Amino acid sequence: MEEGMSGFCIRDGSVRGNSGSTGTKCGRWNPTTEQVKLLTELFSSGLRTPSTDQIQKISTQLSFYGKIESKNVFYWFQNHKARERQKRRKVSFDDDKDVNIRRENSMNFSTQNFAYQVSEPESVIETLQLFPLDSFGESESEKLRVHSNECWDTKMFSYTMGEQMNHPPLDLRLSFMST
Amino acid sequence: MEEGMSGFCIRDGSVRGNSGSTGTKCGRWNPTTEQVKLLTELFSSGLRTPSTDQIQKISTQLSFYGKIESKNVFYWFQNHKARERQKRRKVSFDDDKDVNIRRENSMNFSTQNFAYQVSEPESVIETLQLFPLDSFGESESEKLRVHSNECWDTKMFSYTMGEQMNHPPLDLRLSFMST
DNA sequence: GCAATATGAATGAATG
DNA sequence: CATTCATTCATATTGC
């Protein structure tokens, strides 16, 4: 719930432009070009949801290029995957009701800039060897997730637990204003 | 890629700054600040996996601040707990290089003059009193759970296991996926 | 500078 | 409880 802690970013220039983090004290991680490049390589190599272990390694590797945390890697893959799918989804079915205010044909800006992986795959592979990419079989085949459910209604689901009959004294004491 | 494609969700800009008006057609519950505050209080008080009864009560109470369902409470606790752990896991590895100390106790948004009563302060207290506040006596800030030992969480029940008690055959698993 | 967009971060919801 | 997906928020970046 750390929501309000944002808004104190002091950027001193384009972080993505320079590789050496110029002491940018940002609240938000700003990946360097090298970091993005590597992440992108990994992604295009098939890695989509790295495990915690992989995240650690990747983070460690990327830390060479600049400040980075594990969660950044985590979020990066989450976002990257989600957005790729999102883009694809946007063009797939554009038959909405009528209030469809979506931007049409957003493919102008090179749908995927992952193209430059062919430039120098060698060096990348060398780096990638640290992480066992095995999740290639996952592919990007949509799961066709159906949002069938949308009605919990008022019926109270019971995610039963073992003992609920006479559950012990619940410690629901609110410590409001316990200043 | 953030455009107004979701034109049916009414927002007034502030995410959690609004009370109740969480849009009407939003398919996703958007907790108000008050709701989040209360939930956080409960969580901080040690409540991690509320029982069905507790969820009911909490939900009822929170409904005062805005539209809410039981499942929202259920999910909230699930997520909150999971993310506490997850966060502790990913941020655990502080990068060796650039010794950045961005984490300066930015856990909770301080309870500043954020008094949660814009109009009726009494009702809030009244509301809170509905919770069975058992005076356990062990009132201490359990926020110091540095070891992530869910001590107070006696049993890590799994709601996936069917209990053969005298309660109806609970579905444990969200059975709302009909329709 | 502002609008539009790209993207890091957060979180509700759902599944295994 | 873990993992993942989808949506949204906040901010950085870029073009005009």
Side-chain angles (χ1 to χ4, degrees), chain B residues 8 12 31 36 38 52 59 77 80-81 109 115 123 129 133-135 146 154-155 166 168-169:
Chain B
F8 47 82
D12 61 343
V36 172
L38 267 170
T52 309
S59 179
F77 276 95
H80 204 72
K81 176 165 53 177
F109 51 97
S123 18
Q129 286 177 345
L133 310 176
D134 257 341
S135 301
V146 285
T154 38
K155 293 201 166 108
N166 41 7

mmCIF file with all atom_site columns, all heavy atoms in Angstrom, chain B residues 8 12 31 36 38 52 59 77 80-81 109 115 123 129 133-135 146 154-155 166 168-169:
data_model
loop_
_atom_site.group_PDB
_atom_site.id
_atom_site.type_symbol
_atom_site.label_atom_id
_atom_site.label_alt_id
_atom_site.label_comp_id
_atom_site.label_asym_id
_atom_site.label_entity_id
_atom_site.label_seq_id
_atom_site.pdbx_PDB_ins_code
_atom_site.Cartn_x
_atom_site.Cartn_y
_atom_site.Cartn_z
_atom_site.occupancy
_atom_site.B_iso_or_equiv
_atom_site.pdbx_formal_charge
_atom_site.auth_seq_id
_atom_site.auth_comp_id
_atom_site.auth_asym_id
_atom_site.auth_atom_id
_atom_site.pdbx_PDB_model_num
ATOM 1   N N   . PHE B 1 8   ? -16.016 3.482   -19.355 1.00 0.00 ? 8   PHE B N   1
ATOM 2   C CA  . PHE B 1 8   ? -17.169 3.300   -18.495 1.00 0.00 ? 8   PHE B CA  1
ATOM 3   C C   . PHE B 1 8   ? -16.802 3.320   -17.024 1.00 0.00 ? 8   PHE B C   1
ATOM 4   O O   . PHE B 1 8   ? -17.597 3.007   -16.181 1.00 0.00 ? 8   PHE B O   1
ATOM 5   C CB  . PHE B 1 8   ? -17.875 1.992   -18.835 1.00 0.00 ? 8   PHE B CB  1
ATOM 6   C CG  . PHE B 1 8   ? -16.931 0.844   -18.960 1.00 0.00 ? 8   PHE B CG  1
ATOM 7   C CD1 . PHE B 1 8   ? -16.492 0.180   -17.846 1.00 0.00 ? 8   PHE B CD1 1
ATOM 8   C CD2 . PHE B 1 8   ? -16.487 0.464   -20.213 1.00 0.00 ? 8   PHE B CD2 1
ATOM 9   C CE1 . PHE B 1 8   ? -15.619 -0.875  -17.973 1.00 0.00 ? 8   PHE B CE1 1
ATOM 10  C CE2 . PHE B 1 8   ? -15.627 -0.585  -20.341 1.00 0.00 ? 8   PHE B CE2 1
ATOM 11  C CZ  . PHE B 1 8   ? -15.189 -1.256  -19.227 1.00 0.00 ? 8   PHE B CZ  1
ATOM 12  N N   . ASP B 1 12  ? -12.609 10.266  -10.493 1.00 0.00 ? 12  ASP B N   1
ATOM 13  C CA  . ASP B 1 12  ? -12.483 11.695  -10.256 1.00 0.00 ? 12  ASP B CA  1
ATOM 14  C C   . ASP B 1 12  ? -11.026 12.091  -10.075 1.00 0.00 ? 12  ASP B C   1
ATOM 15  O O   . ASP B 1 12  ? -10.709 13.101  -9.511  1.00 0.00 ? 12  ASP B O   1
ATOM 16  C CB  . ASP B 1 12  ? -13.299 12.104  -9.032  1.00 0.00 ? 12  ASP B CB  1
ATOM 17  C CG  . ASP B 1 12  ? -12.810 11.397  -7.806  1.00 0.00 ? 12  ASP B CG  1
ATOM 18  O OD1 . ASP B 1 12  ? -12.087 10.394  -7.955  1.00 0.00 ? 12  ASP B OD1 1
ATOM 19  O OD2 . ASP B 1 12  ? -13.119 11.846  -6.722  1.00 0.00 ? 12  ASP B OD2 1
ATOM 20  N N   . PRO B 1 31  ? -11.188 0.237   -3.478  1.00 0.00 ? 31  PRO B N   1
ATOM 21  C CA  . PRO B 1 31  ? -11.391 0.593   -2.070  1.00 0.00 ? 31  PRO B CA  1
ATOM 22  C C   . PRO B 1 31  ? -11.155 2.069   -1.812  1.00 0.00 ? 31  PRO B C   1
ATOM 23  O O   . PRO B 1 31  ? -10.275 2.684   -2.418  1.00 0.00 ? 31  PRO B O   1
ATOM 24  C CB  . PRO B 1 31  ? -10.349 -0.261  -1.348  1.00 0.00 ? 31  PRO B CB  1
ATOM 25  C CG  . PRO B 1 31  ? -9.292  -0.504  -2.358  1.00 0.00 ? 31  PRO B CG  1
ATOM 26  C CD  . PRO B 1 31  ? -10.006 -0.596  -3.673  1.00 0.00 ? 31  PRO B CD  1
ATOM 27  N N   . VAL B 1 36  ? -9.360  1.110   3.043   1.00 0.00 ? 36  VAL B N   1
ATOM 28  C CA  . VAL B 1 36  ? -7.983  0.625   3.083   1.00 0.00 ? 36  VAL B CA  1
ATOM 29  C C   . VAL B 1 36  ? -7.382  0.835   4.452   1.00 0.00 ? 36  VAL B C   1
ATOM 30  O O   . VAL B 1 36  ? -6.672  -0.027  4.979   1.00 0.00 ? 36  VAL B O   1
ATOM 31  C CB  . VAL B 1 36  ? -7.130  1.348   2.022   1.00 0.00 ? 36  VAL B CB  1
ATOM 32  C CG1 . VAL B 1 36  ? -5.668  0.996   2.186   1.00 0.00 ? 36  VAL B CG1 1
ATOM 33  C CG2 . VAL B 1 36  ? -7.599  0.988   0.636   1.00 0.00 ? 36  VAL B CG2 1
ATOM 34  N N   . LEU B 1 38  ? -8.887  0.942   7.288   1.00 0.00 ? 38  LEU B N   1
ATOM 35  C CA  . LEU B 1 38  ? -9.400  -0.031  8.237   1.00 0.00 ? 38  LEU B CA  1
ATOM 36  C C   . LEU B 1 38  ? -8.812  -1.415  8.006   1.00 0.00 ? 38  LEU B C   1
ATOM 37  O O   . LEU B 1 38  ? -8.436  -2.111  8.941   1.00 0.00 ? 38  LEU B O   1
ATOM 38  C CB  . LEU B 1 38  ? -10.922 -0.082  8.142   1.00 0.00 ? 38  LEU B CB  1
ATOM 39  C CG  . LEU B 1 38  ? -11.614 0.841   9.125   1.00 0.00 ? 38  LEU B CG  1
ATOM 40  C CD1 . LEU B 1 38  ? -13.093 0.936   8.839   1.00 0.00 ? 38  LEU B CD1 1
ATOM 41  C CD2 . LEU B 1 38  ? -11.381 0.315   10.533  1.00 0.00 ? 38  LEU B CD2 1
ATOM 42  N N   . THR B 1 52  ? -14.697 -16.707 7.922   1.00 0.00 ? 52  THR B N   1
ATOM 43  C CA  . THR B 1 52  ? -15.879 -16.295 7.174   1.00 0.00 ? 52  THR B CA  1
ATOM 44  C C   . THR B 1 52  ? -16.689 -15.276 7.957   1.00 0.00 ? 52  THR B C   1
ATOM 45  O O   . THR B 1 52  ? -17.144 -14.278 7.405   1.00 0.00 ? 52  THR B O   1
ATOM 46  C CB  . THR B 1 52  ? -16.754 -17.512 6.866   1.00 0.00 ? 52  THR B CB  1
ATOM 47  O OG1 . THR B 1 52  ? -15.940 -18.513 6.266   1.00 0.00 ? 52  THR B OG1 1
ATOM 48  C CG2 . THR B 1 52  ? -17.882 -17.127 5.939   1.00 0.00 ? 52  THR B CG2 1
ATOM 49  N N   . SER B 1 59  ? -16.720 -6.820  6.060   1.00 0.00 ? 59  SER B N   1
ATOM 50  C CA  . SER B 1 59  ? -17.358 -6.351  4.840   1.00 0.00 ? 59  SER B CA  1
ATOM 51  C C   . SER B 1 59  ? -18.544 -5.451  5.158   1.00 0.00 ? 59  SER B C   1
ATOM 52  O O   . SER B 1 59  ? -18.737 -4.405  4.540   1.00 0.00 ? 59  SER B O   1
ATOM 53  C CB  . SER B 1 59  ? -17.813 -7.544  4.010   1.00 0.00 ? 59  SER B CB  1
ATOM 54  O OG  . SER B 1 59  ? -18.463 -7.110  2.839   1.00 0.00 ? 59  SER B OG  1
ATOM 55  N N   . PHE B 1 77  ? -7.109  -9.525  1.974   1.00 0.00 ? 77  PHE B N   1
ATOM 56  C CA  . PHE B 1 77  ? -6.221  -10.137 2.952   1.00 0.00 ? 77  PHE B CA  1
ATOM 57  C C   . PHE B 1 77  ? -5.292  -11.147 2.289   1.00 0.00 ? 77  PHE B C   1
ATOM 58  O O   . PHE B 1 77  ? -4.117  -11.252 2.639   1.00 0.00 ? 77  PHE B O   1
ATOM 59  C CB  . PHE B 1 77  ? -7.030  -10.811 4.069   1.00 0.00 ? 77  PHE B CB  1
ATOM 60  C CG  . PHE B 1 77  ? -7.442  -9.850  5.136   1.00 0.00 ? 77  PHE B CG  1
ATOM 61  C CD1 . PHE B 1 77  ? -8.691  -9.255  5.107   1.00 0.00 ? 77  PHE B CD1 1
ATOM 62  C CD2 . PHE B 1 77  ? -6.581  -9.519  6.163   1.00 0.00 ? 77  PHE B CD2 1
ATOM 63  C CE1 . PHE B 1 77  ? -9.072  -8.351  6.084   1.00 0.00 ? 77  PHE B CE1 1
ATOM 64  C CE2 . PHE B 1 77  ? -6.950  -8.615  7.140   1.00 0.00 ? 77  PHE B CE2 1
ATOM 65  C CZ  . PHE B 1 77  ? -8.199  -8.027  7.105   1.00 0.00 ? 77  PHE B CZ  1
ATOM 66  N N   . HIS B 1 80  ? -2.720  -9.024  0.484   1.00 0.00 ? 80  HIS B N   1
ATOM 67  C CA  . HIS B 1 80  ? -1.868  -8.262  1.378   1.00 0.00 ? 80  HIS B CA  1
ATOM 68  C C   . HIS B 1 80  ? -0.847  -9.170  2.053   1.00 0.00 ? 80  HIS B C   1
ATOM 69  O O   . HIS B 1 80  ? 0.329   -8.842  2.135   1.00 0.00 ? 80  HIS B O   1
ATOM 70  C CB  . HIS B 1 80  ? -2.718  -7.548  2.428   1.00 0.00 ? 80  HIS B CB  1
ATOM 71  C CG  . HIS B 1 80  ? -2.039  -6.347  2.997   1.00 0.00 ? 80  HIS B CG  1
ATOM 72  N ND1 . HIS B 1 80  ? -1.866  -5.197  2.275   1.00 0.00 ? 80  HIS B ND1 1
ATOM 73  C CD2 . HIS B 1 80  ? -1.486  -6.118  4.211   1.00 0.00 ? 80  HIS B CD2 1
ATOM 74  C CE1 . HIS B 1 80  ? -1.239  -4.306  3.027   1.00 0.00 ? 80  HIS B CE1 1
ATOM 75  N NE2 . HIS B 1 80  ? -0.993  -4.838  4.206   1.00 0.00 ? 80  HIS B NE2 1
ATOM 76  N N   . LYS B 1 81  ? -1.325  -10.270 2.467   1.00 0.00 ? 81  LYS B N   1
ATOM 77  C CA  . LYS B 1 81  ? -0.432  -11.212 3.124   1.00 0.00 ? 81  LYS B CA  1
ATOM 78  C C   . LYS B 1 81  ? 0.605   -11.751 2.147   1.00 0.00 ? 81  LYS B C   1
ATOM 79  O O   . LYS B 1 81  ? 1.795   -11.796 2.438   1.00 0.00 ? 81  LYS B O   1
ATOM 80  C CB  . LYS B 1 81  ? -1.251  -12.360 3.711   1.00 0.00 ? 81  LYS B CB  1
ATOM 81  C CG  . LYS B 1 81  ? -0.393  -13.429 4.329   1.00 0.00 ? 81  LYS B CG  1
ATOM 82  C CD  . LYS B 1 81  ? -1.206  -14.352 5.196   1.00 0.00 ? 81  LYS B CD  1
ATOM 83  C CE  . LYS B 1 81  ? -2.405  -14.915 4.463   1.00 0.00 ? 81  LYS B CE  1
ATOM 84  N NZ  . LYS B 1 81  ? -3.158  -15.863 5.277   1.00 0.00 ? 81  LYS B NZ  1
ATOM 85  N N   . PHE B 1 109 ? 1.759   4.536   4.836   1.00 0.00 ? 109 PHE B N   1
ATOM 86  C CA  . PHE B 1 109 ? 1.539   5.959   4.725   1.00 0.00 ? 109 PHE B CA  1
ATOM 87  C C   . PHE B 1 109 ? 1.152   6.428   6.113   1.00 0.00 ? 109 PHE B C   1
ATOM 88  O O   . PHE B 1 109 ? 0.224   5.934   6.734   1.00 0.00 ? 109 PHE B O   1
ATOM 89  C CB  . PHE B 1 109 ? 0.429   6.270   3.725   1.00 0.00 ? 109 PHE B CB  1
ATOM 90  C CG  . PHE B 1 109 ? -0.816  5.493   3.975   1.00 0.00 ? 109 PHE B CG  1
ATOM 91  C CD1 . PHE B 1 109 ? -1.861  6.058   4.685   1.00 0.00 ? 109 PHE B CD1 1
ATOM 92  C CD2 . PHE B 1 109 ? -0.950  4.207   3.481   1.00 0.00 ? 109 PHE B CD2 1
ATOM 93  C CE1 . PHE B 1 109 ? -3.013  5.352   4.909   1.00 0.00 ? 109 PHE B CE1 1
ATOM 94  C CE2 . PHE B 1 109 ? -2.095  3.493   3.712   1.00 0.00 ? 109 PHE B CE2 1
ATOM 95  C CZ  . PHE B 1 109 ? -3.130  4.054   4.431   1.00 0.00 ? 109 PHE B CZ  1
ATOM 96  N N   . ALA B 1 115 ? -7.367  11.873  9.449   1.00 0.00 ? 115 ALA B N   1
ATOM 97  C CA  . ALA B 1 115 ? -8.494  11.376  10.228  1.00 0.00 ? 115 ALA B CA  1
ATOM 98  C C   . ALA B 1 115 ? -9.623  10.958  9.311   1.00 0.00 ? 115 ALA B C   1
ATOM 99  O O   . ALA B 1 115 ? -10.037 11.690  8.430   1.00 0.00 ? 115 ALA B O   1
ATOM 100 C CB  . ALA B 1 115 ? -8.981  12.454  11.180  1.00 0.00 ? 115 ALA B CB  1
ATOM 101 N N   . SER B 1 123 ? -19.863 7.978   13.761  1.00 0.00 ? 123 SER B N   1
ATOM 102 C CA  . SER B 1 123 ? -20.252 6.722   13.147  1.00 0.00 ? 123 SER B CA  1
ATOM 103 C C   . SER B 1 123 ? -19.057 5.809   12.957  1.00 0.00 ? 123 SER B C   1
ATOM 104 O O   . SER B 1 123 ? -19.204 4.598   12.933  1.00 0.00 ? 123 SER B O   1
ATOM 105 C CB  . SER B 1 123 ? -20.906 6.993   11.799  1.00 0.00 ? 123 SER B CB  1
ATOM 106 O OG  . SER B 1 123 ? -20.590 8.275   11.351  1.00 0.00 ? 123 SER B OG  1
ATOM 107 N N   . GLN B 1 129 ? -16.703 -0.311  16.838  1.00 0.00 ? 129 GLN B N   1
ATOM 108 C CA  . GLN B 1 129 ? -17.063 -1.030  18.055  1.00 0.00 ? 129 GLN B CA  1
ATOM 109 C C   . GLN B 1 129 ? -17.805 -2.318  17.759  1.00 0.00 ? 129 GLN B C   1
ATOM 110 O O   . GLN B 1 129 ? -17.963 -3.161  18.627  1.00 0.00 ? 129 GLN B O   1
ATOM 111 C CB  . GLN B 1 129 ? -17.931 -0.134  18.943  1.00 0.00 ? 129 GLN B CB  1
ATOM 112 C CG  . GLN B 1 129 ? -17.115 0.947   19.617  1.00 0.00 ? 129 GLN B CG  1
ATOM 113 C CD  . GLN B 1 129 ? -17.972 1.871   20.423  1.00 0.00 ? 129 GLN B CD  1
ATOM 114 O OE1 . GLN B 1 129 ? -19.184 1.867   20.243  1.00 0.00 ? 129 GLN B OE1 1
ATOM 115 N NE2 . GLN B 1 129 ? -17.366 2.657   21.280  1.00 0.00 ? 129 GLN B NE2 1
ATOM 116 N N   . LEU B 1 133 ? -13.657 -6.705  19.790  1.00 0.00 ? 133 LEU B N   1
ATOM 117 C CA  . LEU B 1 133 ? -12.297 -6.353  20.150  1.00 0.00 ? 133 LEU B CA  1
ATOM 118 C C   . LEU B 1 133 ? -11.915 -7.062  21.431  1.00 0.00 ? 133 LEU B C   1
ATOM 119 O O   . LEU B 1 133 ? -12.191 -6.617  22.517  1.00 0.00 ? 133 LEU B O   1
ATOM 120 C CB  . LEU B 1 133 ? -12.194 -4.850  20.351  1.00 0.00 ? 133 LEU B CB  1
ATOM 121 C CG  . LEU B 1 133 ? -12.774 -4.016  19.210  1.00 0.00 ? 133 LEU B CG  1
ATOM 122 C CD1 . LEU B 1 133 ? -12.708 -2.560  19.558  1.00 0.00 ? 133 LEU B CD1 1
ATOM 123 C CD2 . LEU B 1 133 ? -12.025 -4.304  17.945  1.00 0.00 ? 133 LEU B CD2 1
ATOM 124 N N   . ASP B 1 134 ? -11.324 -8.140  21.237  1.00 0.00 ? 134 ASP B N   1
ATOM 125 C CA  . ASP B 1 134 ? -10.927 -8.894  22.404  1.00 0.00 ? 134 ASP B CA  1
ATOM 126 C C   . ASP B 1 134 ? -9.640  -8.334  22.973  1.00 0.00 ? 134 ASP B C   1
ATOM 127 O O   . ASP B 1 134 ? -8.652  -8.213  22.286  1.00 0.00 ? 134 ASP B O   1
ATOM 128 C CB  . ASP B 1 134 ? -10.710 -10.355 22.022  1.00 0.00 ? 134 ASP B CB  1
ATOM 129 C CG  . ASP B 1 134 ? -11.876 -11.184 22.465  1.00 0.00 ? 134 ASP B CG  1
ATOM 130 O OD1 . ASP B 1 134 ? -12.621 -10.716 23.332  1.00 0.00 ? 134 ASP B OD1 1
ATOM 131 O OD2 . ASP B 1 134 ? -12.038 -12.288 21.942  1.00 0.00 ? 134 ASP B OD2 1
ATOM 132 N N   . SER B 1 135 ? -9.725  -8.012  24.174  1.00 0.00 ? 135 SER B N   1
ATOM 133 C CA  . SER B 1 135 ? -8.519  -7.502  24.817  1.00 0.00 ? 135 SER B CA  1
ATOM 134 C C   . SER B 1 135 ? -7.600  -8.650  25.161  1.00 0.00 ? 135 SER B C   1
ATOM 135 O O   . SER B 1 135 ? -7.791  -9.351  26.130  1.00 0.00 ? 135 SER B O   1
ATOM 136 C CB  . SER B 1 135 ? -8.904  -6.724  26.086  1.00 0.00 ? 135 SER B CB  1
ATOM 137 O OG  . SER B 1 135 ? -9.753  -5.672  25.734  1.00 0.00 ? 135 SER B OG  1
ATOM 138 N N   . VAL B 1 146 ? 9.906   -9.269  11.861  1.00 0.00 ? 146 VAL B N   1
ATOM 139 C CA  . VAL B 1 146 ? 11.049  -9.318  10.968  1.00 0.00 ? 146 VAL B CA  1
ATOM 140 C C   . VAL B 1 146 ? 11.350  -10.739 10.525  1.00 0.00 ? 146 VAL B C   1
ATOM 141 O O   . VAL B 1 146 ? 11.939  -10.976 9.496   1.00 0.00 ? 146 VAL B O   1
ATOM 142 C CB  . VAL B 1 146 ? 12.297  -8.751  11.668  1.00 0.00 ? 146 VAL B CB  1
ATOM 143 C CG1 . VAL B 1 146 ? 12.195  -7.244  11.745  1.00 0.00 ? 146 VAL B CG1 1
ATOM 144 C CG2 . VAL B 1 146 ? 12.438  -9.363  13.040  1.00 0.00 ? 146 VAL B CG2 1
ATOM 145 N N   . THR B 1 154 ? -2.059  -19.084 14.172  1.00 0.00 ? 154 THR B N   1
ATOM 146 C CA  . THR B 1 154 ? -1.930  -20.442 14.655  1.00 0.00 ? 154 THR B CA  1
ATOM 147 C C   . THR B 1 154 ? -1.929  -21.480 13.552  1.00 0.00 ? 154 THR B C   1
ATOM 148 O O   . THR B 1 154 ? -0.972  -22.200 13.371  1.00 0.00 ? 154 THR B O   1
ATOM 149 C CB  . THR B 1 154 ? -3.069  -20.768 15.613  1.00 0.00 ? 154 THR B CB  1
ATOM 150 O OG1 . THR B 1 154 ? -4.249  -20.157 15.106  1.00 0.00 ? 154 THR B OG1 1
ATOM 151 C CG2 . THR B 1 154 ? -2.757  -20.258 16.988  1.00 0.00 ? 154 THR B CG2 1
ATOM 152 N N   . LYS B 1 155 ? -2.981  -21.499 12.836  1.00 0.00 ? 155 LYS B N   1
ATOM 153 C CA  . LYS B 1 155 ? -3.081  -22.550 11.847  1.00 0.00 ? 155 LYS B CA  1
ATOM 154 C C   . LYS B 1 155 ? -3.096  -22.021 10.434  1.00 0.00 ? 155 LYS B C   1
ATOM 155 O O   . LYS B 1 155 ? -3.889  -21.172 10.096  1.00 0.00 ? 155 LYS B O   1
ATOM 156 C CB  . LYS B 1 155 ? -4.351  -23.357 12.083  1.00 0.00 ? 155 LYS B CB  1
ATOM 157 C CG  . LYS B 1 155 ? -4.250  -24.099 13.384  1.00 0.00 ? 155 LYS B CG  1
ATOM 158 C CD  . LYS B 1 155 ? -5.183  -25.257 13.418  1.00 0.00 ? 155 LYS B CD  1
ATOM 159 C CE  . LYS B 1 155 ? -4.782  -26.145 14.565  1.00 0.00 ? 155 LYS B CE  1
ATOM 160 N NZ  . LYS B 1 155 ? -5.635  -26.134 15.644  1.00 0.00 ? 155 LYS B NZ  1
ATOM 161 N N   . ASN B 1 166 ? -18.991 -30.447 10.889  1.00 0.00 ? 166 ASN B N   1
ATOM 162 C CA  . ASN B 1 166 ? -20.445 -30.419 10.823  1.00 0.00 ? 166 ASN B CA  1
ATOM 163 C C   . ASN B 1 166 ? -20.956 -29.206 10.045  1.00 0.00 ? 166 ASN B C   1
ATOM 164 O O   . ASN B 1 166 ? -22.097 -28.833 10.154  1.00 0.00 ? 166 ASN B O   1
ATOM 165 C CB  . ASN B 1 166 ? -21.017 -30.400 12.235  1.00 0.00 ? 166 ASN B CB  1
ATOM 166 C CG  . ASN B 1 166 ? -20.192 -29.488 13.106  1.00 0.00 ? 166 ASN B CG  1
ATOM 167 O OD1 . ASN B 1 166 ? -19.302 -28.801 12.590  1.00 0.00 ? 166 ASN B OD1 1
ATOM 168 N ND2 . ASN B 1 166 ? -20.489 -29.467 14.380  1.00 0.00 ? 166 ASN B ND2 1
ATOM 169 N N   . PRO B 1 168 ? -21.652 -27.359 6.414   1.00 0.00 ? 168 PRO B N   1
ATOM 170 C CA  . PRO B 1 168 ? -21.987 -27.785 5.048   1.00 0.00 ? 168 PRO B CA  1
ATOM 171 C C   . PRO B 1 168 ? -20.739 -27.958 4.210   1.00 0.00 ? 168 PRO B C   1
ATOM 172 O O   . PRO B 1 168 ? -19.700 -27.399 4.505   1.00 0.00 ? 168 PRO B O   1
ATOM 173 C CB  . PRO B 1 168 ? -22.851 -26.641 4.521   1.00 0.00 ? 168 PRO B CB  1
ATOM 174 C CG  . PRO B 1 168 ? -22.646 -25.517 5.482   1.00 0.00 ? 168 PRO B CG  1
ATOM 175 C CD  . PRO B 1 168 ? -22.342 -26.152 6.787   1.00 0.00 ? 168 PRO B CD  1
ATOM 176 N N   . PRO B 1 169 ? -20.856 -28.740 3.222   1.00 0.00 ? 169 PRO B N   1
ATOM 177 C CA  . PRO B 1 169 ? -19.720 -28.986 2.333   1.00 0.00 ? 169 PRO B CA  1
ATOM 178 C C   . PRO B 1 169 ? -19.290 -27.710 1.644   1.00 0.00 ? 169 PRO B C   1
ATOM 179 O O   . PRO B 1 169 ? -19.793 -27.367 0.583   1.00 0.00 ? 169 PRO B O   1
ATOM 180 C CB  . PRO B 1 169 ? -20.266 -30.007 1.348   1.00 0.00 ? 169 PRO B CB  1
ATOM 181 C CG  . PRO B 1 169 ? -21.734 -29.809 1.390   1.00 0.00 ? 169 PRO B CG  1
ATOM 182 C CD  . PRO B 1 169 ? -22.048 -29.421 2.792   1.00 0.00 ? 169 PRO B CD  1
#
